[in-house]
Amino acid sequence: LPAPRSNHTTCTHENSVVLFGGHGGVGYQRRAWNDTWVLNLDNARWMELFCQGNPPPPRSGHEAFAKDGCIFIFGGWNHDSIFNDLFMLD
């Protein structure tokens, strides 16, 4: 299961919901995330996906949308940076 978080994004893709990033964790382990999780709406099971290539840095407060089978991630922030970038997850 994904760790507790806020300021993440979710997008629908086919029969699933894709969750990316956010900020959170448990206790003193709070941090920005760059993980990707998929919730299968047919069986209500989560599966973590692992990005290849150049994955987005950990971030929260970003925007995301789905188009043509891909998820696009734009902007956001973490404790080091404010982002003005765009990534495509396919």
Side-chain angles (χ1 to χ4, degrees), residues 1-89:
L1 291 174
R5 66 190 70 208
S6 63
N7 297 313
H8 56 283
T9 52
T10 57
C11 296
T12 57
H13 179 261
E14 296 176 357
N15 69 326
S16 60
V17 175
V18 179
L19 178 149
F20 178 81
H23 183 265
V26 178
Y28 292 104
Q29 297 176 353
R30 295 187 187 278
R31 63 185 180 95
W33 299 92
N34 70 336
D35 54 349
T36 304
W37 289 83
V38 176
L39 174 63
N40 183 314
L41 296 174
D42 291 332
N43 60 21
R45 291 188 181 165
W46 285 101
M47 178 178 70
E48 186 173 10
L49 297 182
F50 296 95
C51 295
Q52 302 295 316
N54 183 27
R59 64 188 63 209
S60 61
H62 54 283
E63 294 294 331
F65 65 94
K67 180 166 175 40
D68 298 331
C70 298
I71 304 293
F72 293 84
I73 308 292
F74 175 75
W77 55 271
N78 65 24
H79 64 281
D80 291 326
S81 301
I82 296 174
F83 298 106
N84 186 26
D85 52 8
L86 179 68
F87 286 85
M88 180 180 75
L89 309 178

